[in-house]
Amino acid sequence: MGVNTEPGPIGIAGAGRMAQALGRLLRERGEPVVAVASRNLEHARAAAAFIGVAEAVDYASLTRRANRVLIAVADDAVPLVAAALAEAGMKEGAALHTCGARGPEALAGLAANGVSCATLHPLQTVATPEQGMAALPGCAFGITGEGPAAAWAESIAALLGGRALRIAADRRPLYHAAAVMASNYVVALIDAAAMLMGAAGIGENEALAALAPLVRASAANAIGLGPVRALTGPLERGDAATVAAHCSALAAGIPPSVRGLYRAAGLHALEIARRRGLSEADARKLEEILRKGSDEDV
Ligand SMILES: NC(=O)c1ccc[n+]([C@@H]2O[C@H](COP(=O)([O-])OP(=O)(O)OC[C@H]3O[C@@H](n4cnc5c(N)ncnc54)[C@H](OP(=O)(O)O)[C@@H]3O)[C@@H](O)[C@H]2O)c1
């Protein structure tokens, strides 16, 4: 492989939230970030200004300035950007992408040219570049690949005080499904809870403020005590009448997606309750209540 293992100039491919947050964190920690590339030069200029580098270029020009490229574009665009960099003549060095579900195979166009390729997925949610800069240091990074690119990925994880998680290429969809559940689905659960509060007559802002201590304590307990010790509530106690009352109340005027979420999350909470020692007779009764009418829900 024509791999240059000397740490060389770094180019950022992509101008979105992750590209900006990671690019600036690397630059502020003394890494030689030299340029930002995007399809849209205006986006590249704005990202370069945020990161603090002078050069905003197109993908072809990036290969003339950097021999290490961090690709942080929309998941479906990763192979396209890799192919564009390969076509522009990137033939050595290393490339990383930040997509969670895919391994280095998404960079096949570059690997075929002899570029060392790996995945560096920050296991963190980045809603804005500023928030990402605050949240990324100390997070875990899902890394797949070998050689200089994987070593570079591990060095970035270490530089940001994070944890390097080695993920087998064929397990990445499972790993990423876990990330989605821990992040996006928590958002979905909070939104559904706020909608039910709304149906109970409490406005969204007040509902979110009221739910906040409960959400924080539940997450802290699940992580600190483990899910089995953290679980409380009617499923854990075997309170069938309470769960039946919830299901009846959820039937009228509540969106099917919220009803489905209540039932699906309830069935999994019931599995935790079983692990915690709930009797099989109580568990079966609760399961029957939760499954009743579930075919109508999505
Ligand atoms: N945000 C998160 O919480 C998070 C967390 C972990 C990992 N990631 C990963 O980070 C990567 C970027 O995500 P993001 O949240 O930063 O996205 P984003 O803010 O929406 O930015 C997306 C970027 O992708 C580019 N893009 C979109 N379609 C393209 C195409 N067809 N060809 C070339 N470029 C294209 C856009 O380019 P233009 O500027 O040219 O429009 C833009 O720079 C993704 O792989 C994502 O899985 C994100």
Side-chain angles (χ1 to χ4, degrees), residues 13-22 36-44 47 59 71-78 80-81 97-101 120-129 131-132 136 175-176 179 183-184:
R17 298 163 289 188
M18 184 60 77
Q20 293 184 54
L22 264 183
V36 180
S38 158
R39 291 175 300 184
N40 177 317
L41 215 49
E42 279 310 305
H43 294 175
Y59 287 122
I71 301 173
V73 295
D75 292 358
D76 289 348
V78 171
L80 307 176
V81 169
H97 75 75
T98 57
C99 166
L120 172 79
H121 171 251
L123 190 59
Q124 185 52 283
T125 178
V126 174
T128 68
Q131 175 267 325
L136 288 169
Y175 155 82
H176 191 242
S183 176
N184 314 144

Side-chain angles (χ1 to χ4, degrees), residues 23 43 59-60 62 102 106 108 116 140 168 173 210 213 219 234-235 247 249 258 260 263:
H43 294 175
Y59 287 122
L62 192 68
R102 299 184 190 195
S116 177
L235 292 165
C247 290
V258 174
R263 292 180 194 281

Side-chain angles (χ1 to χ4, degrees), residues 211-227:
L211 289 166
L214 179 61
V215 170
R216 291 200 182 100
S218 302
N221 285 349
I223 290 160
L225 303 174

Side-chain angles (χ1 to χ4, degrees), residues 235 238-240 243 270 278 282-290:
L235 292 165
D239 281 340
V243 177
L270 193 54
L278 184 69
D282 281 347
R284 287 229 178 102
K285 201 188 298 171
L286 287 162
E287 194 169 336
E288 201 178 307
I289 295 165
L290 285 168

